[in-house]
């Protein structure tokens, strides 16, 4: 009964149950003065967030690709990442974050990162979300499930 749309994510903060990722991010950013000093800065922040979300959605669902679409999906994701997303973020953020010690340490070779999904965890996800055949990218970015 606490979830507005009966799904996660949900964050309980300041006596309200915040749902939907973008609403949660905007609320926290506005509360802690991280959302830009004016409308122009807020628009730039939104553009960076949305660009990253587009790419992360493709990456998150890639392990659930249909076997016959996996290679094509990977090529598509890598193409988008290398020609569109990476150049934007590299140019904008490289100078800003390179001096932060924790980020510098994380970017060093051999730093601890979350391990990639293994076959068991992929099968668990498929059973939880009831994906019998997998997922595929459709129409250059739309993710659709095959049931």
């Amino acid at each position: 009964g606490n979830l507005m749309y009966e799904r996660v994510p949900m964050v309980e903060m300041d006596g309200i149950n915040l749902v939907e990722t973008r609403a949660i991010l905007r609320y926290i950013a506005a509360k802690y003065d991280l959302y830009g000093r004016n409308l122009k800065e807020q628009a730039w922040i939104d553009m960076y967030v949305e660009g990253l979300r587009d790419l992360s959605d493709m990456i998150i669902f890639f392990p659930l690709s249909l076997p016959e679409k996996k290679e094509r999906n990977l090529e598509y994701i890598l193409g988008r990442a290398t020609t569109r997303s990476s150049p934007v973020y590299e140019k904008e953020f490289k100078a800003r974050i390179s001096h932060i010690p924790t980020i510098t340490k994380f970017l060093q070779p051999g730093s601890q990162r979350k391990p990639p999904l293994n076959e068991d965890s992929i099968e668990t996800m498929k059973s939880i979300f009831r994906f019998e055949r997998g997922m595929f990218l459709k129409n250059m970015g739309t993710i659709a499930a095959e049931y």
Side-chain angles (χ1 to χ4, degrees), residues 11 13 18 23-35:
V11 173
M13 182 180 255
L18 299 164
I24 293 167
L25 291 173
R26 284 190 187 107
Y27 185 88
I28 292 170
K31 178 177 176 148
Y32 294 102
D33 199 25
L34 302 170
Y35 197 40

Side-chain angles (χ1 to χ4, degrees), residues 12-137:
E12 294 181 46
M13 182 180 255
D14 299 333
I16 59 174
N17 295 329
L18 299 164
V19 296
E20 296 298 330
T21 302
R22 285 176 253 186
I24 293 167
L25 291 173
R26 284 190 187 107
Y27 185 88
I28 292 170
K31 178 177 176 148
Y32 294 102
D33 199 25
L34 302 170
Y35 197 40
R37 294 175 297 231
N38 55 49
L39 198 55
K40 185 177 179 179
E41 286 184 4
Q42 291 173 0
W44 278 105
I45 291 167
D46 285 341
M47 289 188 286
Y48 286 118
V49 168
E50 292 301 318
L52 188 58
R53 184 180 167 111
D54 290 345
L55 184 61
S56 68
D57 283 349
M58 289 186 279
I59 293 168
I60 287 168
F61 288 109
F62 173 74
L64 302 173
S65 296
L66 295 170
E68 64 270 16
K69 304 285 185 180
K70 207 162 205 147
E71 187 175 326
R72 187 172 129 222
N73 287 349
L74 181 59
E75 288 175 17
Y76 180 73
I77 292 167
L78 290 174
R80 293 285 296 240
T82 56
T83 62
R84 291 188 180 183
S85 300
S86 294
V88 171
Y89 294 106
E90 185 176 358
K91 176 183 173 187
E92 185 65 28
F93 295 117
K94 190 174 184 179
R96 293 180 186 209
I97 66 169
S98 62
H99 68 281
I100 300 171
T102 53
I103 292 176
T104 302
K105 182 179 177 184
F106 177 78
L107 294 174
Q108 296 301 312
S111 69
Q112 287 188 342
R113 293 184 175 94
K114 197 171 190 176
L117 293 174
N118 61 27
E119 288 300 319
D120 290 337
S121 58
I122 291 171
E123 290 306 315
T124 301
M125 285 179 15
K126 285 181 179 180
S127 68
I128 290 170
F129 295 108
R130 297 187 180 112
F131 295 128
E132 295 171 9
R133 291 190 54 215
M135 298 189 75
F136 63 96
L137 298 178

